[in-house]
Amino acid sequence: MPIYCDESGGVGRGVMTLAAIDIDEASAETLIARFRAVTGYHGEVKGSRIDLAERALLFELIKDSEARICIGIAISALVPDKNADRGDHDIDVYAALLEDVVGAMLPDTPGCDSVIIDDGRYGPDTLAAIRADIAQLVGPCGTTQLELSHRLAGLQIADVIANSFFNRALVTERQGRMAAIAAPLLESGQIRMRVLGGDNPTAEARPPEPRP
């Protein structure tokens, strides 16, 4: 099955998250179609555009599917070295999250067809280099490709997950609600979380408890 990858946040926001979801294309399309049928939602499904109730519904639909999810979170790793270019550092953090999350999922993904990465964040040369790194990581397992998220249901689901965990990490009035929405999937193990840190970049761990 393909692994769909999308991110949220960045160096300028203080948190970057990257979600990878292992779900077959037909199941992803069915899930998004059901979401649209219940909510009447039109257009691309994005975490930044849906409300809390719609987000909760999407997570319930994910919970009832066979999707496996890994979410990477970078907090302390977002501080650039002295005199470092902030844009380059954002790319480095994104690439590290992508490699770590995909690398964590591959051993449990027999017969992987492809890793599909959202094509909307960086320029074509940068994305081509990142894609090449992931292709080397994937090896003979399958292929890597870049796609625009509005074309693929799997990328839209990954976007909502990444955005939800981005908001879960921010100390705001919505943090507790985001935590409550994600909690059942974390507790069941359907979502695994990995924290990217400066001294321990690939440690799987629980983040700090969110504010109620």
Side-chain angles (χ1 to χ4, degrees), residues 32-33 61 76 103 116-117 133 183:
I32 289 294
L61 294 172
S76 60
I116 302 173
I117 305 165
D133 288 343

Side-chain angles (χ1 to χ4, degrees), residues 82-102:
K82 186 177 180 180
N83 299 323
D85 181 89
R86 185 172 289 271
D88 289 344
H89 185 64
D90 192 275
I91 293 167
D92 290 343
V93 172
Y94 171 79
L97 281 170
L98 185 60
E99 290 179 9
D100 182 57
V101 167
V102 171

Side-chain angles (χ1 to χ4, degrees), residues 95-107 115 130-142 144:
L97 281 170
L98 185 60
E99 290 179 9
D100 182 57
V101 167
V102 171
M105 294 194 75
L106 287 177
V115 175
I130 292 172
R131 177 187 175 190
D133 288 343
I134 298 301
Q136 187 173 13
L137 181 68
V138 171
C141 168
T144 62

Side-chain angles (χ1 to χ4, degrees), residues 8-202:
S8 185
V11 168
R13 305 295 301 277
V15 177
M16 186 188 292
T17 58
L18 190 139
I21 177 168
D22 178 18
I23 185 172
D24 68 80
E25 183 178 1
S27 295
E29 290 176 351
T30 298
L31 193 157
I32 289 294
R34 177 60 178 164
F35 174 82
R36 295 185 191 281
V38 172
T39 62
Y41 189 90
H42 298 284
E44 181 181 356
V45 178
K46 290 184 67 67
S48 59
R49 299 176 185 170
I50 62 176
D51 62 28
L52 285 165
E54 291 168 335
R55 190 185 306 267
L57 170 62
L58 190 62
F59 268 71
E60 284 296 314
L61 294 172
I62 294 169
K63 183 169 68 70
D64 293 337
S65 74
E66 296 184 357
R68 296 186 311 108
I69 299 148
C70 188
I71 179 85
I73 302 175
I75 300 174
S76 60
L78 288 176
V79 180
D81 294 333
K82 186 177 180 180
N83 299 323
D85 181 89
R86 185 172 289 271
D88 289 344
H89 185 64
D90 192 275
I91 293 167
D92 290 343
V93 172
Y94 171 79
L97 281 170
L98 185 60
E99 290 179 9
D100 182 57
V101 167
V102 171
M105 294 194 75
L106 287 177
D108 299 322
T109 312
C112 170
D113 293 321
S114 58
V115 175
I116 302 173
I117 305 165
D118 178 49
D119 192 20
R121 185 176 182 98
Y122 303 110
D125 292 343
T126 297
L127 285 171
I130 292 172
R131 177 187 175 190
D133 288 343
I134 298 301
Q136 187 173 13
L137 181 68
V138 171
C141 168
T143 61
T144 62
Q145 62 192 86
L146 301 168
E147 292 287 351
L148 294 172
S149 58
H150 71 269
R151 296 177 180 172
L152 295 178
L155 286 179
Q156 294 176 51
I157 298 169
D159 176 280
V160 174
I161 296 167
N163 177 266
S164 298
F165 277 84
F166 168 72
N167 282 282
R168 185 183 185 275
L170 296 179
V171 181
T172 69
E173 69 281 356
R174 297 203 303 167
Q175 187 185 38
R177 299 284 297 277
M178 295 292 178
I181 289 170
L185 283 77
L186 282 168
E187 291 167 1
S188 70
Q190 190 173 7
I191 292 181
R192 291 186 296 152
M193 189 155 46
R194 299 174 67 83
V195 177
L196 187 72
D199 296 328
N200 192 14
T202 58

